[in-house]
Amino acid sequence: MRNKFIEAVEAEVKTKEIPSFRVGDTVTVNFRIVEGNKERVQAYKGLVIAIHRNGASSTFTVRKVVGDVGVERIFPLYSPRIDSIVVERSGRVRRAKLYYMRKLRGKATRIRERRKGF
């Protein structure tokens, strides 16, 4: 039995419209960053390698390669700091978590595209 107060808070937080995306998709996360007294939106484009679904505290991990270094960032799904999530490309994968991508380099990191209707 869940606490009524927790359910009420989660329902309030989960009103945000989130696009449908899966593990294996390439997404651009537009994230608001505060620097001093200024606020700007920074785009973070990469591959979704994991989604942790836990109600209002759900998160997703996005991995990108900068130079030769892999950079991963975990975003809270219902964060007010996320301006928008844009799905650039849908990937076809057979795993729930793509942690094996950390070991791959170059062309080995390619993922097949998921086409509609298949």
Side-chain angles (χ1 to χ4, degrees):
M1 181 86 189
R2 296 206 49 172
N3 189 337
K4 298 266 189 233
F5 179 72
I6 293 173
E7 287 179 1
V9 170
E10 281 192 357
E12 185 179 316
V13 170
K14 290 173 75 172
T15 58
K16 187 174 180 183
E17 191 66 34
I18 303 292
S20 174
F21 64 92
R22 299 191 205 175
V23 171
D25 292 356
T26 302
V27 297
T28 301
V29 181
N30 294 312
F31 200 70
R32 277 193 231 103
I33 293 179
V34 177
E35 294 174 333
N37 57 356
K38 291 186 205 168
E39 188 174 291
R40 66 183 178 87
V41 176
Q42 178 175 327
Y44 192 93
K45 182 176 180 179
L47 177 71
V48 178
I49 63 167
I51 298 176
H52 175 247
R53 299 185 196 280
N54 190 19
S57 59
S58 297
T59 60
F60 62 101
T61 306
V62 180
R63 176 180 176 80
K64 72 176 181 178
V65 177
V66 179
D68 275 341
V69 180
V71 179
E72 292 181 10
R73 183 153 181 193
I74 300 172
F75 292 100
L77 191 60
Y78 295 102
S79 172
R81 293 233 177 261
I82 292 181
D83 195 46
S84 65
I85 301 171
V86 180
V87 179
E88 303 287 337
R89 193 168 173 266
S90 296
R92 183 170 163 228
V93 293
R94 297 170 69 177
R95 299 279 179 274
K97 306 282 192 258
L98 303 182
Y99 297 139
Y100 67 90
M101 297 293 281
R102 294 170 176 164
K103 296 179 188 147
L104 303 179
R105 297 284 176 260
K107 285 187 175 182
T109 61
R110 290 178 299 180
I111 291 181
R112 291 183 307 236
E113 184 132 15
R114 186 175 65 237
R115 299 196 314 248
K116 303 291 185 233
F118 291 100

